Amino acid sequence: MSDKPAPRPPGNRVSVLVVEDEMMIALDVQMMLEDNGYTVLGPAGSVEGALRLLDELRPDVAVLDGNLRGRPVIPVARRLRSLEIPFVLSSAYDIFTFDGSDVLAGAENVQKPVSENRLIAALQRALS
C-alpha cells in the first residue's frame, strides 16, 4: 500500500466502489447506479480485488456485499474506514456475527434483493 493518496476518478460524478461476488447482482447494481448518474468502480468480486482497487482509486462511497466467496468483507470495510470513505451494505447475511464486524457498525444494510430506491437513498444518506 502506497503512502500517497490514490487519485479520485475523473469527472464530477459521485464514484461508487461496488464489491459483489455474484456477477449478475453486481451488473444489476452497476446499472442502477449508472442510471442514477453515479460512476461505478469495479465491480470487485473478492476481498483482494476490492483492496487492489482501493490502492489505485479513491471512491466517494462503496456498496459492500457481506460475504465474498465465503469470506467476510471485513478487511474491505476496515480499509474504507481508515480512508474515511463511507459505505453501505448489500447483504442477505447476518454479517454482524463475523469476527471484527464492529467495523460495520453504523453502516446501513439495504438487504438483498437490492431495491434501486433503497440503494440510492442509502447512498445519499451515507454521503451526507
Side-chain angles (χ1 to χ4, degrees):
M1 189 165 81
S2 169
D3 289 342
K4 192 167 83 174
R8 288 202 171 283
N12 295 335
R13 295 171 16 154
V14 172
S15 61
V16 182
L17 172 63
V18 174
V19 181
E20 169 63 59
D21 62 344
E22 293 183 46
M23 191 51 66
M24 294 305 292
I25 294 172
L27 293 174
D28 194 35
V29 169
Q30 180 176 354
M31 244 181 3
M32 288 179 200
L33 294 170
E34 288 174 347
D35 287 350
N36 283 277
Y38 293 89
T39 297
V40 173
L41 306 179
S46 67
V47 168
E48 295 78 12
L51 294 174
R52 274 193 304 274
L53 276 173
L54 287 170
D55 284 342
E56 298 169 14
L57 292 172
R58 186 69 43 91
D60 296 304
V61 66
V63 178
L64 308 179
D65 182 9
N67 187 355
L68 301 167
R69 300 181 185 158
R71 189 167 171 208
V73 74
I74 303 298
V76 179
R78 279 195 187 111
R79 175 77 60 85
L80 290 167
R81 291 275 191 218
S82 75
L83 296 170
E84 299 181 359
I85 297 170
F87 58 88
V88 300
L89 301 166
S90 169
S91 183
Y93 293 93
D94 181 7
I95 52 180
F96 295 99
T97 60
F98 294 139
D99 286 342
S101 65
D102 54 317
V103 74
L104 304 175
E108 186 173 345
N109 187 355
V110 297
Q111 301 287 320
K112 286 183 181 174
V114 178
S115 154
E116 184 171 347
N117 290 337
R118 277 194 329 258
L119 176 61
I120 300 305
L123 288 174
Q124 290 171 347
R125 284 189 291 275
L127 288 164
S128 64

Short mmCIF file of all heavy atoms in Angstrom, two decimals, residues 30 53 74:
data_model
loop_
_atom_site.label_atom_id
_atom_site.label_comp_id
_atom_site.label_asym_id
_atom_site.label_seq_id
_atom_site.Cartn_x
_atom_site.Cartn_y
_atom_site.Cartn_z
N GLN A 30 -24.66 -2.12 -10.73
CA GLN A 30 -23.94 -1.18 -11.58
C GLN A 30 -24.91 -0.41 -12.47
O GLN A 30 -24.81 0.82 -12.58
CB GLN A 30 -22.92 -1.92 -12.44
CG GLN A 30 -22.14 -1.00 -13.35
CD GLN A 30 -21.05 -1.72 -14.13
OE1 GLN A 30 -20.79 -2.90 -13.93
NE2 GLN A 30 -20.42 -1.00 -15.03
N LEU A 53 -8.27 -2.36 -5.86
CA LEU A 53 -8.90 -1.16 -6.42
C LEU A 53 -8.71 0.04 -5.50
O LEU A 53 -8.47 1.16 -5.96
CB LEU A 53 -10.39 -1.40 -6.66
CG LEU A 53 -10.76 -2.09 -7.96
CD1 LEU A 53 -12.25 -2.42 -8.01
CD2 LEU A 53 -10.39 -1.23 -9.15
N ILE A 74 -15.04 -7.84 5.89
CA ILE A 74 -14.47 -7.05 6.99
C ILE A 74 -13.16 -6.33 6.60
O ILE A 74 -13.02 -5.13 6.88
CB ILE A 74 -14.24 -7.93 8.24
CG1 ILE A 74 -15.54 -8.60 8.69
CG2 ILE A 74 -13.59 -7.15 9.36
CD1 ILE A 74 -16.65 -7.67 9.09
#
